[in-house]
Amino acid sequence: MTQTPKTLTLKDIFSPGGIISQQLPGYEYREEQLHMTNAVARAFAASEHLIVEAGTGVGKTFAYLIPAISLAVKTAQPVVISTNTISLQEQLVTKDIPFLQKVLPRDFKAVLAKGRRNYLSRRRLNSLLTFEHGLFDTMDEVEQVKTIVEWVENTEDGSLTDLPIQPRPHIWNKVASDRDNCLGRKCPTYDVCFYFNARSEMHEADLLIVNHHLLFSDLTLRHHDPAAGILPDYDYLVIDEAHHLEAIATRHSSLEISNSQIKWLFDSLHSPRNEDSGTAARFNSTQLIDAVGEAREQANIFFGAVEVYFAGLDSYATTQRIDKHNTLKMFPHGNILDQPLSQIEKTLKDLLENVAATEDDEQELVSYVNQCRRLREELDMMIQQHDPDFIYWVESSSWGRSPRILLNATPVNVSQRLNESLFDVKEAVVMTSATLSTNNNFAYFKKRIGIDTCRELLVHSPFNFKEQVKIHIPRTMPDPNSVEFIPAAVEEIKHYLKLTHGKAFVLFTSYKMMDEVFEEVEPFLSEIGIDVFKQGGELSRTDMLQAFREDTDSVLFGTSSFWEGVDVRGEALSNVVITRLPFEVPTHPVMAARVKQIKEQGGNEFYEFSLPEAILRLKQGFGRLIRTQTDQGIVVILDPRIRTRSYGRQFIDSLPPCEIVA
C-alpha cells in the first residue's frame, strides 16, 4: 500500500497531483466531484439526510465511497452502500473499492452482502436427496440437481451466483437457506454453513455492498422486529440509483400470491405424481394426503374463478384492479382456501406432537405450518380488503393450458412507510442518482418518498454538452396520437439512421409501436448494410447489448429497460432516437390508483405525476448518449409536443444545454 500521511484532506485525495491522480491513469480533477464529496462528508458528520443528483461523469462512486470509508474506520461501525443494478455493484466490488484499498492510507474491509436465499443449505440439500428426490423427475430437473450436488463439493462461496447453471426456481427454493427452515447452531452443518459464514464476514466489514432488494428486505424485517435484520446494525446508508427508491419500497411493502406458488406448496407436502416423495410420505401420513387433496381441489376452484373473471372482460387486459364488489363477484363464498389450509396446518401440528421426529423433521414441519399460517393471513387480507391504504389487483401473466395467476395487494403510497422504516431510524441516508430532479429541484422526488427536510445538492455533469451533443427536433412531425405519426416517424428514423450509418438506439414507449416501426425500417437498413437488433427477439438483453457494441454500425430498437442503466461508450452509440415523450399511461392498477389519489386530494395529476415522471424518463434516455468526455453524437426527439405544448419547455430545461437543430 502506498504510504501517505494519515491526516489526508479530501482535497489531498481528489486534487491534481493527489493520491488518486498519482495512481489512476487518465484521472481528471473535477470540482463537481469534490463538491459532492464534501456534501456527503458534511451529511455524515451532521447526521442529516442528503439528496444529490450527480450528472454523468461526476464520478459519484468515489465521491461517496471515500467519506463512507472515513466514517466507518473512525467510528468502527459499518456503512451500507446500496445499488439497484448488478453492473454498478460489480463496478464497486471489482474496480472502485479495490483501487481505494490500494491507495488509501487506512485499511478497510468491504463485503458484498447477499440475501439469505442466495445461499445453499447443505442440510436442505441432504433432505431433498433423502425425502423429496421424486419431486424432480424430468431429465432437465434431474440433471440440474446432479449439477448442484457436484458443485457443492467444490464451491467456497455456496451462493447462486457461483453456481455454473441457472437452476429452475422451484429447484433452488428446495435447497436455499431459509429462515423458517433453519436449525441455527443446532444444525449438523452449522460449522460449514455458507450463509452463516457469509454472515460472519458481514459483521467484520467496514463497507457493506448490497442491492436495493436486500436493503428493503432487511428494513421490512426490522420494522416488525428490530432484532430480526439480515444485515448487521448500521446507522449510515448510501443509496445509489436512488430513482428506483419508491418502486423498490412499493414492491417490498406488497403481497403477492400465485397459483403456481400454492401448487408448489401442495406438491411439496404430497405430489400425486410421486407418492414416495414429500412430507406426507416422509411421515407416512394419510391424513396429510387427504388434507392436501381437498386443498388442491379448492385451489383449482379458487383460481378458476379468477380465470372466469378475466375471460369475461371486454379487453385483453393482463392486470385488473378488484374492489370489494368485484371480489364478491369473483369469490361469492369468500376465502374457500381458508378451511383446507387450516386443516393442513392442524394436521402438521398433530404430526409435530405425535410423531417421533428428529430436529430436522420438526423444523421441516414447523416451516410448513408457518407457510400455511402466513398464506391464510395474506389471502384473508386480499379478499376482505381490510387496509384502505392498499389497492388489490389480479394479474394473469399468460394464457394457455396453465396461465400463471397472481393476486396482489399494493400500498398506494409508500412515503409514510419509508419514513417509519428508513428516514426516522437512520442517522444519515445519502440518496444519489443522475436523474432525481425535475425543473431543477427535488420537490417531486421528495414528495414521492415522503421526506420533508434534508440537505440537497444538484451537481451538473462536467461534460461539454454544447460541443458534444446536438438535439434534433423535426418541425414537420404530426401529433403522436394521430394516424399520420407512425408513417412520419418511420421516414424520420430512416433519415437519421442513414445520417449516422447506424450506431443508434431507437427508444420506444410501447412494444406495439416498436414492432410496427421495425417492420417498416428493418428492410431499409438491411439494404444499406446496417444490422438491427430488437428487444424481445432471440437474443437476451445482455447478448444483444454485446452484439451491438461489437457491430459498430448497428441499430438497437428498445423499450423501457433500455432507457436507463445501459452503458455503451464511444462511436458505437452516436445517435439516440426518442420516438415519443415517455408519458406513462396509468393503465396499471397501481399507477391508476396513485393518479386517483392525487385527484382526490385536489391536485393536478398531470403536473404532479405524469409530467415529472416523463421528465425523469427523458433524462434517462438522453443520458444513454454521452458517457465520456470524448463521446459525441445526436439526440433526435420525434414528438412535436416538446415544441408545441406549454409544458414542452420543462423537458428542454431538464436536459443539459445543447444546440437544438430543427
Side-chain angles (χ1 to χ4, degrees):
M1 177 181 289
T2 303
Q3 293 300 309
T4 51
K6 300 282 184 177
T7 54
L8 282 175
T9 66
L10 292 176
K11 197 166 185 179
D12 293 331
I13 295 172
F14 287 101
S15 64
I19 62 171
I20 293 181
S21 65
Q22 290 174 22
Q23 299 290 329
L24 188 61
Y27 173 79
E28 294 182 2
Y29 169 70
R30 288 154 284 183
E31 285 188 11
E32 297 88 352
Q33 187 179 48
L34 184 57
H35 195 185
M36 177 176 171
T37 308
N38 281 316
V40 174
R42 284 195 298 268
F44 283 156
S47 293
E48 293 181 335
H49 305 317
L50 169 68
I51 298 172
V52 184
E53 177 174 286
T56 309
V58 166
K60 61 183 167 63
T61 55
F62 279 4
Y64 61 68
L65 281 173
I66 288 172
I69 293 163
S70 176
L71 177 71
V73 171
K74 285 178 182 175
T75 62
Q77 60 174 314
V79 177
V80 173
I81 313 288
S82 182
T83 77
N84 187 62
T85 58
I86 293 173
S87 58
L88 179 55
Q89 204 171 70
E90 288 177 345
Q91 176 190 323
L92 291 172
V93 172
T94 65
K95 183 181 174 185
D96 294 346
I97 290 173
F99 172 78
L100 293 176
Q101 285 174 322
K102 182 179 76 171
V103 303
L104 292 179
R106 301 277 302 267
D107 290 330
F108 67 93
K109 182 174 183 178
V111 169
L112 174 62
K114 302 174 187 176
R116 179 171 199 148
R117 294 189 65 81
N118 280 273
Y119 293 95
L120 179 129
S121 163
R122 296 179 189 269
R123 182 185 65 80
R124 295 195 74 205
L125 176 61
N126 293 336
S127 179
L128 169 68
L129 298 174
T130 306
F131 301 109
E132 298 177 309
H133 56 89
L135 288 174
F136 308 114
D137 54 3
T138 68
M139 185 176 297
D140 182 49
E141 290 173 334
V142 170
E143 283 300 313
Q144 288 198 0
V145 172
K146 181 181 176 184
T147 299
I148 291 171
V149 171
E150 293 171 351
W151 164 77
V152 79
E153 296 302 318
N154 300 304
T155 179
E156 294 182 8
D157 179 61
S159 75
L160 191 54
T161 52
D162 188 54
L163 187 59
I165 61 168
Q166 185 66 37
R168 294 187 179 183
H170 60 274
I171 293 177
W172 185 256
N173 285 342
K174 274 293 173 186
V175 299
S177 181
D178 182 87
R179 188 163 173 254
D180 279 341
N181 201 336
C182 178
L183 291 171
R185 293 182 181 276
K186 296 179 182 177
C187 179
T189 65
Y190 176 80
D191 289 339
V192 287
C193 175
F194 296 118
Y195 169 69
F196 281 105
N197 285 344
R199 190 177 175 87
S200 177
E201 285 279 301
M202 283 194 278
H203 280 268
E204 296 173 2
D206 299 298
L207 289 188
L208 279 167
I209 313 303
V210 307
N211 64 28
H212 292 351
H213 291 284
L214 177 55
L215 173 69
F216 276 93
S217 294
D218 178 75
L219 291 172
T220 302
L221 286 172
R222 288 175 184 272
H223 185 60
H224 298 292
D225 178 3
I230 304 165
L231 304 173
D233 291 341
Y234 67 96
D235 290 317
Y236 298 90
L237 167 66
V238 176
I239 301 176
D240 201 341
E241 300 176 308
H243 57 284
H244 291 285
L245 192 54
E246 182 187 20
I248 301 294
T250 299
R251 190 176 307 172
H252 279 268
S253 302
S254 302
L255 297 178
E256 177 186 286
I257 298 173
S258 70
N259 57 342
S260 55
Q261 168 194 347
I262 290 180
K263 179 184 182 300
W264 185 246
L265 169 63
F266 294 162
D267 284 351
S268 298
L269 294 168
H270 172 67
S271 173
R273 289 191 304 118
N274 300 286
E275 297 283 346
D276 62 340
S277 288
T279 305
R282 180 172 181 172
F283 296 98
N284 193 27
S285 173
T286 56
Q287 291 90 345
L288 187 56
I289 292 173
D290 292 342
V292 172
E294 172 61 22
R296 201 186 302 274
E297 288 182 18
Q298 294 301 315
N300 289 337
I301 295 170
F302 183 89
F303 286 104
V306 182
E307 287 188 64
V308 169
Y309 175 78
F310 264 99
L313 297 175
D314 293 333
S315 65
Y316 293 98
T318 57
T319 60
Q320 187 72 28
R321 182 173 180 177
I322 49 172
D323 57 21
K324 286 189 176 182
H325 173 72
N326 289 334
T327 305
L328 187 61
K329 277 183 64 177
M330 204 181 304
F331 308 116
H333 303 294
N335 180 10
I336 60 173
L337 275 171
D338 187 73
Q339 194 281 327
L341 283 168
S342 179
Q343 185 59 45
I344 292 175
E345 197 177 327
K346 179 179 180 301
T347 306
L348 292 168
K349 288 177 179 176
D350 289 343
L351 287 173
L352 266 171
E353 292 177 6
N354 300 318
V355 173
T358 64
E359 285 184 336
D360 193 51
D361 294 335
E362 289 179 0
Q363 194 63 41
E364 190 79 10
L365 292 171
V366 167
S367 171
Y368 284 124
V369 167
N370 290 337
Q371 287 183 57
C372 288
R373 175 183 51 78
R374 279 199 301 268
L375 194 51
R376 288 174 61 209
E377 291 172 353
E378 291 173 1
L379 280 167
D380 184 65
M381 178 198 174
M382 290 184 179
I383 292 173
Q384 298 301 324
Q385 300 192 5
H386 297 303
D387 195 330
D389 294 329
F390 277 67
I391 67 153
Y392 305 86
W393 52 289
V394 291
E395 177 180 0
S396 178
S397 58
S398 65
W399 291 102
R401 291 179 60 189
S402 54
R404 185 165 186 256
I405 295 167
L406 298 97
L407 304 178
N408 301 273
T410 304
V412 178
N413 192 304
V414 292
S415 58
Q416 183 177 342
R417 286 174 172 79
L418 279 169
N419 260 314
E420 292 173 353
S421 63
L422 181 60
F423 301 125
D424 288 349
V425 296
K426 300 302 177 188
E427 289 289 327
V429 179
V430 174
M431 294 158 279
T432 186
S433 167
T435 51
L436 293 177
S437 70
T438 55
N439 296 324
N440 291 310
N441 66 68
F442 299 110
Y444 175 70
F445 178 70
K446 288 167 66 177
K447 185 175 182 180
R448 298 307 310 172
I449 65 171
I451 192 168
D452 295 321
T453 56
C454 63
R455 291 176 180 263
E456 300 175 18
L457 177 64
L458 206 164
V459 184
H460 295 294
S461 170
F463 297 156
N464 187 348
F465 286 95
K466 285 185 177 180
E467 295 294 328
Q468 293 178 261
V469 184
K470 286 183 171 61
I471 299 178
H472 290 253
I473 307 175
R475 286 190 176 276
T476 57
M477 287 297 295
D479 186 275
N481 295 313
S482 71
V483 293
E484 293 89 6
F485 181 73
I486 288 182
V490 165
E491 294 309 310
E492 293 291 348
I493 289 168
K494 287 179 181 178
H495 166 72
Y496 283 107
L497 295 185
K498 185 178 181 181
L499 184 69
T500 56
H501 203 263
K503 308 177 183 64
F505 277 3
V506 186
L507 300 178
F508 296 85
T509 57
S510 75
Y511 278 96
K512 182 175 182 295
M513 182 181 175
M514 179 177 71
D515 290 340
E516 288 183 37
V517 172
F518 177 83
E519 289 297 320
E520 296 294 326
V521 174
E522 193 275 336
F524 167 79
L525 294 176
S526 181
E527 284 181 15
I528 60 176
I530 296 174
D531 290 331
V532 58
F533 305 101
K534 185 181 74 163
Q535 186 177 354
E538 294 179 1
L539 294 177
S540 70
R541 184 176 186 273
T542 302
D543 290 342
M544 186 163 63
L545 268 174
Q546 187 56 36
F548 175 81
R549 289 188 182 102
E550 292 173 358
D551 186 347
T552 310
D553 291 331
S554 60
V555 174
L556 190 153
F557 280 48
T559 61
S560 55
S561 66
F562 282 92
W563 286 73
E564 64 172 304
V566 177
D567 191 2
V568 178
R569 302 182 176 213
E571 188 187 9
L573 183 58
S574 303
N575 181 358
V576 172
V577 180
I578 293 170
T579 52
R580 289 182 62 133
L581 293 176
F583 288 108
E584 185 169 354
V585 180
T587 53
H588 190 282
V590 177
M591 295 298 106
R594 286 177 174 165
V595 165
K596 182 181 177 184
Q597 185 181 69
I598 291 170
K599 288 181 181 177
E600 290 172 347
Q601 293 171 351
N604 183 306
E605 72 275 13
F606 179 77
Y607 285 101
E608 293 181 32
F609 184 79
S610 299
L611 181 59
E613 283 290 320
I615 288 172
L616 290 172
R617 199 70 172 149
L618 181 73
K619 290 171 67 174
Q620 290 160 358
F622 178 93
R624 296 316 94 219
L625 183 64
I626 302 300
R627 310 302 297 173
T628 72
Q629 290 187 332
T630 57
D631 287 347
Q632 289 192 327
I634 62 173
V635 172
V636 181
I637 302 174
L638 298 180
D639 193 327
R641 292 175 295 181
I642 201 166
R643 280 189 183 275
T644 61
R645 300 295 173 88
S646 59
Y647 56 74
R649 191 73 229 173
Q650 294 188 40
F651 283 101
I652 296 292
D653 290 344
S654 73
L655 301 176
C658 305
E659 181 183 346
I660 296 179
V661 181

